[in-house]
Amino acid sequence: MNIIKKAVRIKEWQRSSKIAAIVIIVIIAVFIGLSLLQLSEEEMMNYASDDVKQMIEEERDSTRKHLTITYNDLGVISYLSFTTSGAAAIKESYVCFLGQVYKADEGAGKLTGQMVNYTYRMLGKGENVLHGVKLTLLLTTASVLIGFIFSIFLALGKIAKNKIISKICSAYIFFFRGTPLLIQLFVVYFSIPGIFGFAWRDLFDTADTEAVYKGAFVAALIAFSLNTAAYCAEIVRAAIQSIDKGQHEAAKALGMSYAQTMSQIVIPQSIRRMIPPLCNEFVMMIKDVSLVFAISLMDITTISKNIMTSEGSYLVFIPALIIYLIITAIFTYIFNKIEIRLSVYE
Amino acid sequence: MSEYQYILKTEHLGKSFGSLEVLKDVNLEVKKGEVICIIGPSGAGKSTYLRSLNQLEKITSGKIYLKDELFLHREHNRTVHKSTPEKQKAMLLEMGMVFQRFNLFPHKTVLENVMLAPTLVRKKTKAEAKALSIKLIERVGLSSKLNEYPSKLSGGQQQRVAIARALAMEPEIMLFDEPTSALDPELVGEVLNVMKDLAKQGMTMLCVTHEMGFAKEVADRVVFMADGMILEEGAPKELFEHPKNEKAANFLKSVL
């Protein structure tokens, strides 16, 4: 509730927050403004050549269509293409920008059209959450969140006085930091079902065409969570141990138990110190998630690689890089804000 | 009078860190309401002695009695006798401790620092703990700083908050571990004044201190420690003016 109350008092905002808010509002406004100028799919269809129009007309009621229509709307810019396979191949494409329709069959127009099409596919638009950027974001946040919570127990275990618990936690951390993430992913995805005689897709209704993706997602989530927990545990441990010994002594002298000391005194103070390395880990994870291409989950990397192999377009990686860069920038900004917020008492 | 003779008593207290013997044989008896100042050269084991009373250090050997009841008995780094865990906790809560480096909780405000332990450990309600804390913070003269974070306070103010925090557990004995050593000279006075008030109100106090003026004025007894042993103890006037022990005489000559 406090956050909402603070957010409403705009006058008390920090200068940087105001600027950020203005920038975001301007971007949204420009986006909405530009998208109002956009033509709809039907309006763009009118620009098609007579051949194509005729073909659309012919195939309207037939079930077997030769003509493939692709329409990609990115809000401020959209792309429409008609392709047929076979002898008399038709290939026509159009780009609509600022309410104007341009032919996109060659030169700069073709390049723009391709980029719109690739970006559209990598953003996973028109697909469910297991595609493109959505998959990358979901997998990263979910596994870092699960891994972080798990890592607190690992870190407390590693610094515990009980030798057995400490050794087990140390061994876990050593193992997951000492082996490649890709192989860990393979072990979870291939070996574990192999050993125990099941398949990840069995977790879901196998009649569902997406069951394979869903199963792979669960496997990836498990592998990444286990892996990032080991890295986060070292971050958490270092932060906890960086808290002055005097804090433990003061709490003990006041009669507080170990659990109370940790939960009330040490961990709250160490959270702020964890934020910069955790941000690092998160950004690393965004990029590590691209390893799911090895188990054919359709994240940004897999989609861009598929486009590369199927269409031979070597420029597909440029939008891929830009998308990754934007995600990283947003999360770095968020983590910086959290760090400042948690520093109030220093 | 009270139902016990000594509120705190130690017999043959010894403490070693590895091969380094910090406390050799410390025997001390403290009556309720007594103010005892422990003085001595650095490395004498004064702080270690105070900390081992509060179980922040595990003693190697010796006996600690609280209210004439054997609280802990260890020999050769092995526990011979120990009271039940519940009793241990209850007895430890009889001792409040103030540290040289304050050790306030930096992420909590002054009020939260003082309130925390009474709510968590004494299981007081928030309202009770708050009322008590406000009273204690007022007593150390910091009512205007209730909602400040410790980093916004001067060293002297922080130490006064630390005293209030220890008092909030309503202890019967207060242990002060060089409470003014980390302070700028002009801030020492305000902390000593709070301690003087406390002494006047009849609190049992054990102070490790380098403030000889304070010891002279407030202490009922001054204890001179060196090399892990109590070499001399007595009324402040007598000890300061006519020290019998040679080491004590040398030490006093160098500090007075």
Side-chain angles (χ1 to χ4, degrees), chain A residues 99-168:
Chain A
Q100 295 291 315
V101 176
Y102 306 93
K103 264 188 110 43
D105 291 327
E106 54 195 8
K110 184 179 175 190
L111 192 64
T112 317
Q114 278 178 340
M115 288 306 145
V116 172
N117 177 247
Y118 299 159
T119 311
Y120 185 90
R121 286 155 75 178
M122 282 187 276
L123 289 178
K125 294 198 78 158
E127 302 270 10
N128 65 13
V129 76
L130 294 182
H131 284 84
V133 174
K134 289 181 274 188
L135 174 69
T136 302
L137 287 180
L138 181 67
L139 203 48
T140 310
T141 27
S143 44
V144 172
L145 214 61
I146 296 170
F148 176 63
I149 292 166
F150 183 31
S151 76
I152 295 177
F153 295 99
L154 274 177
L156 290 175
K158 187 170 176 178
I159 58 179
K161 286 209 182 83
N162 185 322
K163 285 253 166 56
I164 299 168
I165 294 176
S166 169
K167 281 269 149 54
I168 292 172

Coordinates of all heavy atoms in Angstrom, one line a residue, chain A residues 99-168:
Chain A
G99 N 1.0 5.0 -42.3 CA -0.2 5.1 -43.2 C 0.1 4.9 -44.6 O -0.8 5.0 -45.5
Q100 N 1.4 4.8 -45.0 CA 1.8 4.7 -46.4 C 2.2 3.2 -46.6 O 2.8 2.6 -45.8 CB 3.0 5.6 -46.7 CG 2.7 7.0 -46.6 CD 1.8 7.5 -47.7 OE1 2.0 7.2 -48.9 NE2 0.8 8.3 -47.3
V101 N 1.8 2.7 -47.8 CA 2.2 1.3 -48.2 C 3.3 1.4 -49.2 O 3.2 2.1 -50.2 CB 1.0 0.6 -48.7 CG1 1.4 -0.8 -49.1 CG2 -0.1 0.5 -47.6
Y102 N 4.4 0.6 -48.9 CA 5.5 0.6 -49.8 C 5.7 -0.8 -50.3 O 5.5 -1.8 -49.6 CB 6.8 1.0 -49.1 CG 6.7 2.4 -48.5 CD1 6.3 2.5 -47.1 CD2 7.0 3.5 -49.2 CE1 6.2 3.8 -46.5 CE2 6.9 4.8 -48.6 CZ 6.5 4.9 -47.3 OH 6.4 6.1 -46.7
K103 N 6.1 -1.0 -51.6 CA 6.4 -2.3 -52.1 C 7.7 -2.8 -51.4 O 8.7 -2.0 -51.2 CB 6.6 -2.3 -53.6 CG 5.4 -2.6 -54.3 CD 5.6 -2.8 -55.8 CE 5.6 -4.2 -56.3 NZ 4.5 -5.0 -55.9
A104 N 7.8 -4.1 -51.0 CA 8.9 -4.5 -50.3 C 9.5 -5.8 -50.9 O 9.8 -6.8 -50.3 CB 8.6 -4.8 -48.8
D105 N 9.7 -5.7 -52.2 CA 10.2 -6.9 -53.0 C 11.7 -6.8 -53.2 O 12.3 -7.8 -53.5 CB 9.5 -7.0 -54.3 CG 8.0 -7.4 -54.1 OD1 7.8 -8.1 -53.1 OD2 7.2 -7.0 -54.8
E106 N 12.3 -5.6 -53.1 CA 13.8 -5.6 -53.3 C 14.3 -4.4 -52.6 O 13.6 -3.5 -52.1 CB 14.0 -5.5 -54.8 CG 13.3 -4.3 -55.5 CD 13.3 -4.4 -57.0 OE1 13.7 -5.5 -57.5 OE2 12.8 -3.5 -57.6
G107 N 15.7 -4.4 -52.4 CA 16.4 -3.2 -51.9 C 16.0 -3.0 -50.4 O 15.7 -3.9 -49.6
A108 N 15.9 -1.7 -50.1 CA 15.7 -1.3 -48.7 C 14.3 -1.8 -48.2 O 14.1 -2.2 -47.1 CB 15.8 0.2 -48.5
G109 N 13.3 -1.7 -49.1 CA 12.0 -2.2 -48.8 C 12.0 -3.6 -48.3 O 11.4 -4.0 -47.3
K110 N 12.7 -4.4 -49.1 CA 12.7 -5.9 -48.8 C 13.4 -6.1 -47.4 O 12.9 -6.9 -46.6 CB 13.6 -6.6 -49.9 CG 13.6 -8.1 -49.7 CD 14.4 -8.7 -50.8 CE 14.5 -10.2 -50.6 NZ 15.5 -10.9 -51.5
L111 N 14.5 -5.4 -47.2 CA 15.2 -5.5 -45.9 C 14.3 -5.2 -44.7 O 14.2 -5.9 -43.8 CB 16.4 -4.6 -45.9 CG 17.4 -4.9 -44.8 CD1 18.0 -6.2 -44.9 CD2 18.5 -3.8 -44.9
T112 N 13.6 -4.0 -44.9 CA 12.7 -3.6 -43.8 C 11.6 -4.6 -43.6 O 11.3 -5.0 -42.4 CB 12.0 -2.2 -44.2 OG1 13.0 -1.4 -44.8 CG2 11.4 -1.6 -43.0
G113 N 11.0 -5.1 -44.7 CA 10.0 -6.1 -44.5 C 10.5 -7.3 -43.8 O 9.8 -7.8 -42.9
Q114 N 11.7 -7.8 -44.2 CA 12.2 -9.0 -43.5 C 12.4 -8.7 -42.0 O 12.1 -9.6 -41.2 CB 13.6 -9.3 -44.1 CG 13.5 -10.1 -45.4 CD 14.9 -10.3 -46.0 OE1 15.8 -9.7 -45.7 NE2 14.9 -11.3 -46.9
M115 N 13.0 -7.5 -41.7 CA 13.2 -7.3 -40.3 C 11.9 -7.2 -39.5 O 11.9 -7.7 -38.4 CB 14.0 -5.9 -40.1 CG 15.4 -5.9 -40.6 SD 16.3 -7.2 -39.8 CE 17.4 -7.7 -41.1
V116 N 10.9 -6.7 -40.1 CA 9.6 -6.6 -39.4 C 9.1 -8.1 -39.2 O 8.7 -8.5 -38.1 CB 8.6 -5.8 -40.2 CG1 7.2 -6.0 -39.6 CG2 8.9 -4.4 -40.3
N117 N 9.2 -8.9 -40.2 CA 8.8 -10.3 -40.1 C 9.6 -11.0 -39.1 O 9.0 -11.7 -38.2 CB 9.0 -10.9 -41.5 CG 8.6 -12.4 -41.5 OD1 9.5 -13.2 -41.7 ND2 7.3 -12.6 -41.3
Y118 N 10.9 -10.9 -39.1 CA 11.8 -11.6 -38.1 C 11.5 -11.1 -36.7 O 11.3 -12.0 -35.8 CB 13.2 -11.4 -38.4 CG 13.7 -11.9 -39.8 CD1 14.8 -11.4 -40.4 CD2 12.9 -12.8 -40.5 CE1 15.2 -11.8 -41.6 CE2 13.3 -13.2 -41.7 CZ 14.5 -12.7 -42.3 OH 14.8 -13.1 -43.5
T119 N 11.4 -9.8 -36.5 CA 11.1 -9.3 -35.2 C 9.8 -9.9 -34.7 O 9.7 -10.3 -33.5 CB 11.1 -7.8 -35.2 OG1 12.2 -7.3 -35.9 CG2 11.1 -7.2 -33.8
Y120 N 8.8 -9.8 -35.5 CA 7.5 -10.3 -35.2 C 7.6 -11.8 -34.7 O 7.0 -12.1 -33.7 CB 6.6 -10.2 -36.4 CG 5.1 -10.6 -36.2 CD1 4.2 -9.6 -35.8 CD2 4.7 -11.9 -36.4 CE1 2.9 -10.0 -35.7 CE2 3.4 -12.2 -36.2 CZ 2.5 -11.3 -35.8 OH 1.2 -11.6 -35.6
R121 N 8.3 -12.6 -35.4 CA 8.4 -14.0 -35.1 C 9.2 -14.2 -33.8 O 8.9 -15.0 -32.9 CB 9.1 -14.8 -36.2 CG 8.1 -14.9 -37.3 CD 8.7 -15.2 -38.7 NE 9.3 -16.5 -38.8 CZ 9.9 -16.9 -39.9 NH1 10.0 -16.0 -41.0 NH2 10.4 -18.1 -40.0
M122 N 10.3 -13.4 -33.6 CA 11.1 -13.5 -32.4 C 10.4 -13.0 -31.1 O 10.6 -13.5 -30.0 CB 12.4 -12.8 -32.5 CG 13.4 -13.7 -33.4 SD 15.0 -13.0 -33.4 CE 14.8 -11.8 -34.7
L123 N 9.5 -12.0 -31.3 CA 8.7 -11.6 -30.2 C 7.6 -12.6 -29.8 O 7.0 -12.5 -28.8 CB 8.0 -10.2 -30.5 CG 8.9 -9.0 -30.6 CD1 8.1 -7.8 -31.0 CD2 9.7 -8.8 -29.3
G124 N 7.5 -13.6 -30.7 CA 6.5 -14.6 -30.4 C 5.1 -14.1 -30.5 O 4.2 -14.6 -29.8
K125 N 4.9 -13.1 -31.3 CA 3.5 -12.5 -31.4 C 2.6 -13.5 -32.1 O 3.0 -14.3 -33.0 CB 3.5 -11.2 -32.2 CG 4.3 -10.1 -31.4 CD 4.0 -8.8 -31.9 CE 2.7 -8.3 -31.4 NZ 2.5 -6.9 -31.4
G126 N 1.4 -13.6 -31.7 CA 0.4 -14.5 -32.3 C 0.6 -15.9 -31.8 O 0.0 -16.8 -32.3
E127 N 1.6 -16.1 -30.9 CA 1.8 -17.5 -30.4 C 1.6 -17.5 -28.9 O 1.4 -16.4 -28.3 CB 3.3 -17.9 -30.7 CG 3.7 -17.9 -32.1 CD 3.4 -19.2 -32.8 OE1 2.8 -20.1 -32.2 OE2 3.9 -19.4 -33.9
N128 N 1.6 -18.7 -28.3 CA 1.4 -18.7 -26.8 C 2.7 -18.3 -26.1 O 3.7 -17.9 -26.7 CB 0.8 -20.0 -26.4 CG 1.8 -21.1 -26.6 OD1 3.0 -20.9 -26.8 ND2 1.3 -22.4 -26.5
V129 N 2.6 -18.4 -24.8 CA 3.7 -17.9 -23.9 C 5.0 -18.7 -24.1 O 6.1 -18.3 -23.6 CB 3.2 -17.9 -22.5 CG1 3.2 -19.3 -21.9 CG2 4.0 -16.9 -21.6
L130 N 5.0 -19.8 -24.8 CA 6.2 -20.7 -24.9 C 6.9 -20.3 -26.2 O 7.7 -21.1 -26.7 CB 5.8 -22.1 -24.9 CG 5.3 -22.7 -23.6 CD1 5.0 -24.1 -23.6 CD2 6.2 -22.4 -22.4
H131 N 6.8 -19.1 -26.7 CA 7.5 -18.7 -27.9 C 8.2 -17.3 -27.7 O 7.6 -16.4 -27.1 CB 6.5 -18.6 -29.0 CG 6.1 -19.9 -29.6 ND1 5.1 -20.7 -29.0 CD2 6.6 -20.7 -30.6 CE1 5.0 -21.8 -29.6 NE2 5.9 -21.8 -30.6
G132 N 9.4 -17.3 -28.3 CA 10.1 -16.0 -28.4 C 10.4 -15.3 -27.1 O 10.8 -16.0 -26.1
V133 N 10.3 -14.0 -27.1 CA 10.7 -13.2 -25.9 C 9.9 -13.7 -24.7 O 10.5 -13.7 -23.6 CB 10.4 -11.7 -26.2 CG1 10.6 -10.9 -25.0 CG2 11.3 -11.2 -27.3
K134 N 8.6 -14.0 -24.9 CA 7.8 -14.4 -23.8 C 8.4 -15.6 -23.1 O 8.5 -15.6 -21.8 CB 6.4 -14.7 -24.2 CG 5.6 -13.5 -24.7 CD 4.2 -13.8 -25.1 CE 4.2 -14.1 -26.6 NZ 2.9 -14.2 -27.1
L135 N 8.9 -16.5 -23.8 CA 9.5 -17.7 -23.3 C 10.8 -17.3 -22.5 O 11.0 -17.8 -21.4 CB 9.8 -18.7 -24.4 CG 10.6 -20.0 -23.9 CD1 9.8 -20.8 -23.0 CD2 11.2 -20.8 -25.0
T136 N 11.6 -16.5 -23.2 CA 12.9 -16.1 -22.5 C 12.6 -15.4 -21.2 O 13.2 -15.8 -20.2 CB 13.6 -15.2 -23.5 OG1 13.9 -15.8 -24.7 CG2 15.0 -14.7 -22.9
L137 N 11.7 -14.5 -21.2 CA 11.4 -13.8 -19.9 C 10.8 -14.7 -18.9 O 11.2 -14.6 -17.7 CB 10.4 -12.6 -20.2 CG 11.0 -11.4 -21.0 CD1 9.9 -10.4 -21.2 CD2 12.1 -10.8 -20.2
L138 N 9.9 -15.5 -19.3 CA 9.2 -16.4 -18.3 C 10.2 -17.3 -17.7 O 10.3 -17.5 -16.5 CB 8.1 -17.2 -19.0 CG 7.3 -18.1 -18.1 CD1 6.5 -17.3 -17.1 CD2 6.4 -19.0 -18.9
L139 N 11.0 -17.9 -18.6 CA 12.0 -18.9 -18.1 C 13.0 -18.3 -17.2 O 13.4 -18.8 -16.1 CB 12.7 -19.6 -19.3 CG 13.3 -21.0 -19.1 CD1 12.3 -21.9 -18.4 CD2 13.7 -21.6 -20.4
T140 N 13.5 -17.1 -17.6 CA 14.5 -16.4 -16.8 C 14.0 -16.0 -15.4 O 14.5 -16.4 -14.4 CB 15.0 -15.1 -17.5 OG1 15.3 -15.5 -18.8 CG2 16.2 -14.6 -16.8
T141 N 12.8 -15.3 -15.4 CA 12.3 -14.8 -14.1 C 11.9 -16.0 -13.2 O 12.2 -16.0 -12.0 CB 11.1 -13.9 -14.3 OG1 10.5 -14.2 -15.5 CG2 11.5 -12.4 -14.3
A142 N 11.2 -17.0 -13.8 CA 10.8 -18.1 -13.0 C 12.0 -18.8 -12.4 O 12.0 -19.1 -11.2 CB 9.9 -19.0 -13.8
S143 N 13.0 -19.1 -13.2 CA 14.1 -19.9 -12.6 C 15.0 -19.1 -11.7 O 15.4 -19.6 -10.7 CB 15.0 -20.5 -13.7 OG 15.2 -19.7 -14.8
V144 N 15.1 -17.8 -11.9 CA 15.9 -17.0 -11.0 C 15.1 -16.9 -9.6 O 15.7 -17.0 -8.5 CB 16.3 -15.6 -11.5 CG1 16.9 -14.7 -10.4 CG2 17.2 -15.7 -12.7
L145 N 13.8 -16.7 -9.7 CA 13.0 -16.6 -8.5 C 13.1 -17.9 -7.7 O 13.4 -17.8 -6.5 CB 11.6 -16.3 -8.9 CG 10.8 -15.4 -8.0 CD1 11.5 -14.0 -7.9 CD2 9.4 -15.2 -8.5
I146 N 12.8 -19.0 -8.3 CA 12.9 -20.3 -7.6 C 14.3 -20.5 -7.1 O 14.5 -20.9 -6.0 CB 12.4 -21.4 -8.6 CG1 11.0 -21.2 -9.0 CG2 12.6 -22.8 -7.9 CD1 10.5 -22.2 -10.1
G147 N 15.3 -20.3 -8.0 CA 16.6 -20.5 -7.6 C 17.1 -19.7 -6.5 O 17.8 -20.1 -5.6
F148 N 16.6 -18.4 -6.4 CA 17.0 -17.5 -5.4 C 16.5 -18.0 -4.0 O 17.2 -18.0 -3.0 CB 16.6 -16.1 -5.7 CG 16.8 -15.1 -4.6 CD1 18.2 -14.8 -4.2 CD2 15.8 -14.5 -3.9 CE1 18.4 -13.9 -3.2 CE2 16.1 -13.6 -2.9 CZ 17.4 -13.3 -2.5
I149 N 15.2 -18.3 -4.0 CA 14.6 -18.8 -2.7 C 15.3 -20.1 -2.2 O 15.7 -20.2 -1.1 CB 13.1 -19.1 -2.9 CG1 12.4 -17.7 -3.2 CG2 12.5 -19.8 -1.7 CD1 11.0 -17.9 -3.7
F150 N 15.6 -21.0 -3.2 CA 16.3 -22.2 -2.8 C 17.7 -21.8 -2.3 O 18.3 -22.4 -1.4 CB 16.4 -23.1 -4.1 CG 17.1 -24.4 -3.9 CD1 17.0 -25.1 -2.6 CD2 17.7 -25.0 -4.9 CE1 17.6 -26.3 -2.5 CE2 18.4 -26.2 -4.7 CZ 18.3 -26.9 -3.5
S151 N 18.3 -20.8 -3.0 CA 19.7 -20.5 -2.6 C 19.9 -20.0 -1.2 O 20.9 -20.1 -0.6 CB 20.3 -19.5 -3.6 OG 19.8 -18.2 -3.3
I152 N 18.8 -19.3 -0.7 CA 18.9 -18.8 0.7 C 19.2 -20.0 1.6 O 20.0 -20.0 2.5 CB 17.7 -18.1 1.1 CG1 17.6 -16.8 0.2 CG2 17.7 -17.7 2.6 CD1 16.3 -16.0 0.5
F153 N 18.4 -21.1 1.4 CA 18.6 -22.3 2.2 C 20.0 -22.9 2.0 O 20.6 -23.4 3.0 CB 17.5 -23.3 2.0 CG 16.1 -22.8 2.3 CD1 15.3 -22.3 1.4 CD2 15.7 -22.8 3.7 CE1 14.0 -21.8 1.7 CE2 14.5 -22.3 4.0 CZ 13.6 -21.8 3.1
L154 N 20.4 -22.9 0.8 CA 21.7 -23.5 0.4 C 22.8 -22.7 1.2 O 23.7 -23.3 1.7 CB 22.0 -23.4 -1.1 CG 21.5 -24.5 -1.9 CD1 21.8 -24.2 -3.4 CD2 22.1 -25.8 -1.5
A155 N 22.7 -21.3 1.1 CA 23.7 -20.5 1.7 C 23.7 -20.7 3.2 O 24.8 -20.9 3.8 CB 23.5 -19.0 1.4
L156 N 22.5 -20.7 3.8 CA 22.5 -20.9 5.3 C 23.0 -22.3 5.6 O 23.7 -22.5 6.7 CB 21.0 -20.7 5.8 CG 20.5 -19.3 5.7 CD1 19.0 -19.3 6.2 CD2 21.3 -18.4 6.6
G157 N 22.7 -23.2 4.8 CA 23.3 -24.6 5.0 C 24.8 -24.6 4.9 O 25.4 -25.3 5.7
K158 N 25.3 -23.9 3.9 CA 26.8 -23.9 3.8 C 27.5 -23.3 5.0 O 28.6 -23.8 5.3 CB 27.2 -23.2 2.5 CG 28.6 -23.4 2.2 CD 29.0 -22.9 0.8 CE 30.6 -23.0 0.7 NZ 31.0 -22.6 -0.7
I159 N 26.9 -22.3 5.6 CA 27.6 -21.6 6.7 C 27.1 -22.2 8.0 O 27.5 -21.8 9.1 CB 27.4 -20.1 6.7 CG1 25.9 -19.7 6.7 CG2 28.1 -19.5 5.5 CD1 25.7 -18.2 6.7
A160 N 26.3 -23.3 8.0 CA 25.7 -23.9 9.2 C 26.9 -24.6 10.0 O 27.9 -25.0 9.4 CB 24.6 -24.9 8.9
K161 N 26.7 -24.7 11.3 CA 27.7 -25.3 12.1 C 27.7 -26.8 11.9 O 28.7 -27.5 12.0 CB 27.5 -25.0 13.6 CG 27.8 -23.6 13.9 CD 28.3 -23.4 15.4 CE 28.6 -22.0 15.7 NZ 27.4 -21.2 16.1
N162 N 26.5 -27.3 11.6 CA 26.4 -28.8 11.3 C 27.2 -29.2 10.1 O 27.0 -28.8 9.0 CB 24.9 -29.1 11.1 CG 24.7 -30.6 11.0 OD1 25.5 -31.3 10.4 ND2 23.6 -31.1 11.5
K163 N 28.3 -30.0 10.4 CA 29.2 -30.4 9.3 C 28.6 -31.1 8.1 O 28.9 -30.8 7.0 CB 30.3 -31.3 9.9 CG 31.3 -30.5 10.8 CD 32.7 -30.4 10.1 CE 33.6 -29.4 10.8 NZ 33.8 -29.7 12.2
I164 N 27.6 -32.0 8.4 CA 27.0 -32.8 7.3 C 26.2 -31.9 6.4 O 26.4 -31.9 5.2 CB 26.1 -33.9 7.9 CG1 27.0 -34.8 8.8 CG2 25.5 -34.7 6.8 CD1 26.2 -35.8 9.6
I165 N 25.4 -31.0 7.0 CA 24.6 -30.1 6.2 C 25.5 -29.2 5.4 O 25.3 -29.0 4.2 CB 23.6 -29.2 7.1 CG1 22.6 -30.1 7.7 CG2 23.0 -28.1 6.3 CD1 21.7 -29.4 8.7
S166 N 26.5 -28.7 6.0 CA 27.4 -27.8 5.4 C 28.1 -28.4 4.2 O 28.2 -27.9 3.1 CB 28.5 -27.3 6.4 OG 29.5 -26.6 5.7
K167 N 28.6 -29.7 4.4 CA 29.2 -30.4 3.3 C 28.3 -30.7 2.1 O 28.7 -30.6 1.0 CB 29.8 -31.8 3.9 CG 31.1 -31.6 4.7 CD 32.3 -31.8 3.8 CE 33.5 -30.9 4.2 NZ 33.9 -31.2 5.6
I168 N 27.1 -31.1 2.5 CA 26.1 -31.4 1.4 C 25.9 -30.1 0.5 O 25.9 -30.2 -0.7 CB 24.8 -31.9 2.0 CG1 25.0 -33.3 2.6 CG2 23.7 -32.0 0.9 CD1 23.8 -33.8 3.4

